Amino acid sequence: KEAAGNPRAQQERSAELTRRGLRFLASGLQDQAAAVLEEARRSDPGSWEAGLALARAYRLQSRYQSARRVLDEVLQSSRTPAPERGAAREALVGVLLESGDLEAAEEACRPLLEGSRPSAESLRLAGVIAYRKGNSGEALKRLEESIRIDPGNPASRVDLGLALLQSGQVERAAGSFEEPLPLDPESHTAMLNLAKAYERLGRPQEASRMLRRYREVYDLKSVRQKIGP
């Protein structure tokens, strides 16, 4: 009630709720995160911090239209600084890719590549788009450049592995799937595709071991989501 007519108090409440929502997201509790972050947006509709976090929660819930709507609002808001505007556009491309709208993702990605120095994430997204369009050469070029800029991002290495598989370079693909696991030991995509690569390379025992690890991690994540942090 005290915050209702006080813009500063509303912004502070929104920031507090956003921090709480991000903690839920870090614990894999996207439903709880979405509820808290919706309240944060109601407290301060112009908060880009709350907007980006809420879009992430919606994306994890597969509520792609809701995520897209929030990201469009963040992009249109005069309060969103330039770097965060870029992050919002990258998040939008990711949402469009996950929802299967490849053409819209490609269109949304173009402005991210127009500058002289696209970010590693922008290049990764461009590589994923090229891979899904069947352009392996372009995909490999974009993804390798993304890894050069940000070698610590496991997602880029997984995506590179997928592009290498598409181009028939199975041995290199297996190496690319192996590399992110020390960085992200719970990467479902890396484990599952590494098992496929091992199978294609005639290494069935390693494929079986990786599939067991994949199932163990999947079961553990399911338990976490049920009981919370």
Side-chain angles (χ1 to χ4, degrees):
K1 290 182 179 179
E2 292 179 3
N6 186 332
R8 183 180 180 83
Q10 288 174 330
Q11 291 176 5
E12 290 175 353
R13 173 168 169 73
S14 176
E16 179 186 345
L17 289 167
T18 299
R19 288 191 292 271
R20 189 189 307 170
L22 288 170
R23 288 195 294 271
F24 279 130
L25 283 175
S27 299
L29 303 171
Q30 53 262 31
D31 293 344
Q32 292 92 324
V36 170
L37 291 165
E38 285 169 347
E39 188 176 350
R41 284 282 283 175
R42 285 193 293 270
S43 294
D44 182 11
S47 169
W48 58 265
E49 296 98 326
L52 287 175
L54 178 57
R56 182 178 159 201
Y58 283 155
R59 180 178 176 179
L60 290 169
Q61 291 179 308
S62 300
R63 295 169 61 184
Y64 299 120
Q65 284 299 113
S66 296
R68 184 172 181 176
R69 172 180 52 78
V70 172
L71 289 167
D72 283 338
E73 291 171 359
V74 171
L75 285 167
Q76 293 166 14
S77 172
S78 60
R79 283 177 53 186
T80 306
E84 283 67 32
R85 201 177 295 275
R89 182 166 289 279
E90 288 172 345
L92 177 61
V93 175
V95 166
L96 292 167
L97 279 170
E98 285 190 20
S99 66
D101 195 341
L102 186 57
E103 296 303 319
E106 185 174 29
E107 183 178 347
C109 192
R110 282 195 192 100
L112 295 170
L113 304 174
E114 289 173 353
S116 59
R117 304 171 88 177
S119 73
E121 178 63 7
S122 294
L123 289 165
R124 185 189 75 81
L125 291 166
V128 172
I129 291 168
Y131 155 72
R132 293 200 184 173
K133 295 192 79 171
N135 189 344
S136 298
E138 178 72 8
L140 293 173
K141 174 185 171 184
R142 297 289 193 186
L143 291 166
E144 286 168 352
E145 179 64 9
S146 176
I147 291 169
R148 186 190 69 78
I149 296 171
D150 182 11
N153 183 4
S156 297
R157 296 183 184 275
V158 172
D159 292 328
L160 177 61
L162 292 170
L164 288 166
L165 271 184
Q166 186 183 65
S167 66
Q169 301 179 63
V170 184
E171 189 77 47
R172 281 190 65 199
S176 193
F177 291 133
E178 288 168 345
E179 287 173 348
L181 287 174
L183 301 170
D184 183 8
E186 297 187 354
S187 172
H188 287 163
T189 308
M191 286 184 280
L192 188 58
N193 284 284
L194 181 55
K196 291 178 183 178
Y198 283 155
E199 193 69 41
R200 288 173 62 176
L201 289 168
R203 296 157 65 179
Q205 291 183 333
E206 290 171 279
S208 297
R209 175 179 56 80
M210 191 53 57
L211 281 174
R212 283 196 302 273
R213 180 175 170 184
Y214 166 82
R215 294 189 188 103
E216 288 169 2
V217 170
Y218 181 85
D219 291 343
L220 180 60
K221 280 191 174 182
S222 297
V223 170
R224 280 188 198 148
Q225 289 176 356
K226 287 178 182 177
I227 66 175

